[in-house]
Amino acid sequence: MNNWTFFREAIKNFRSTGAIARASPALVQRLIGSIPASTPLRIVELGPGEGCITRALLDRLHPKSELAVFEINPAFVGRLRTIRDPRLVVNPVGADRLAEHFAPGSVDFIVSSLPLSMIEQPVKEEIIRQSQRILRPRGRFLQYQYALQDYGLLKDNFTDVSVSFTLKNLPPAFVYSCSLGML
Ligand SMILES: C[S@@+](CC[C@H](N)C(=O)[O-])C[C@H]1O[C@@H](n2cnc3c(N)ncnc32)[C@H](O)[C@@H]1O
């Protein structure tokens, strides 16, 4: 799927996609660059779209890692299912159903490109609540966003939230790295 196809899908479903172009390689690197590659990990990705971050994760992750993705757009789900990698599980359901798939404290990293600012407040709060629940004590929730609309929500729910920024995306983006502070 090229950027034009992503754009068409985004226009058809603008409220749920929340972007006109997929994340640039520079943004993807900033988002996932801190995830260790040398050790097996359990990773969850929220809102993978056509899979630009998914593929970068699979390139990076240890051969014994697991990657579960949650995507609600059927066109994107179809595209994700063409990725042949035994580490990948594609869940065609919303990110508010995480707790049905993972035990508390069992996930190392959650990588999210959900359009948080377009998701209704109660659903968004439920996604963050379930994310906290399934993360290991030393786990991290990584998210990008085009403005800092949800900084407050993340600060309220995670003990430690750091923010960085990249101009190398259309539009430029902030990247949050959030932890439960149980080191
Ligand atoms: C901004 S796009 C990100 C696409 C790609 N990961 C990227 O970074 O370029 C947001 C994605 O989140 C998906 N999405 C929106 N709400 C969702 C939800 N509640 N659960 C799972 N996926 C959702 C959309 O269908 C879309 O694929």
Side-chain angles (χ1 to χ4, degrees):
M1 188 177 275
N2 57 31
N3 239 334
W4 171 243
T5 325
F6 181 92
F7 177 73
R8 271 205 327 237
E9 203 52 45
I11 296 299
K12 269 200 283 178
N13 305 283
F14 190 70
R15 263 206 83 76
S16 64
T17 308
I20 50 161
R22 60 192 171 187
S24 68
L27 175 55
V28 174
Q29 177 54 29
R30 185 165 290 251
L31 187 67
I32 69 169
S34 64
I35 299 179
S38 57
T39 179
L41 297 170
R42 178 174 290 151
I43 313 277
V44 168
E45 187 188 355
L46 309 180
E50 47 72 51
C52 61
I53 298 170
T54 314
R55 288 183 180 79
L57 281 167
L58 291 170
D59 284 346
R60 179 180 182 84
L61 292 177
H62 186 279
K64 291 207 160 61
S65 287
E66 298 167 23
L67 174 60
V69 303
F70 289 75
E71 173 57 58
I72 54 169
N73 180 322
F76 289 146
V77 168
R79 179 69 187 166
L80 292 162
R81 286 191 164 143
T82 66
I83 302 175
R84 296 276 162 240
D85 190 307
R87 296 169 297 173
L88 177 65
V89 175
V90 179
N91 295 296
V93 297
D96 56 330
R97 295 181 55 189
L98 282 178
E100 293 171 31
H101 292 76
F102 296 99
S106 64
V107 170
D108 296 290
F109 286 88
I110 300 176
V111 179
S112 169
S113 47
L114 291 174
L116 285 184
S117 59
M118 314 279 260
I119 296 177
E120 288 175 17
Q121 194 68 20
V123 177
K124 174 157 79 177
E125 286 175 4
E126 182 61 20
I127 293 169
I128 300 297
R129 195 186 63 74
Q130 291 190 26
S131 295
Q132 285 178 311
R133 183 159 164 224
I134 66 168
L135 273 177
R136 289 192 208 283
R138 300 179 67 139
R140 292 196 88 84
F141 178 88
L142 307 171
Q143 165 85 48
Y144 76 78
Q145 192 167 39
Y146 303 125
L148 291 171
Q149 296 105 316
D150 286 291
Y151 182 61
L153 174 72
L154 296 171
K155 278 292 262 186
D156 287 348
N157 285 281
F158 289 96
T159 306
D160 175 51
V161 179
S162 62
V163 187
S164 64
F165 180 68
T166 180
L167 283 168
K168 294 181 184 165
N169 190 67
L170 182 69
F174 295 92
V175 174
Y176 305 107
S177 175
C178 312
S179 81
L180 300 169
M182 299 182 205
L183 298 178

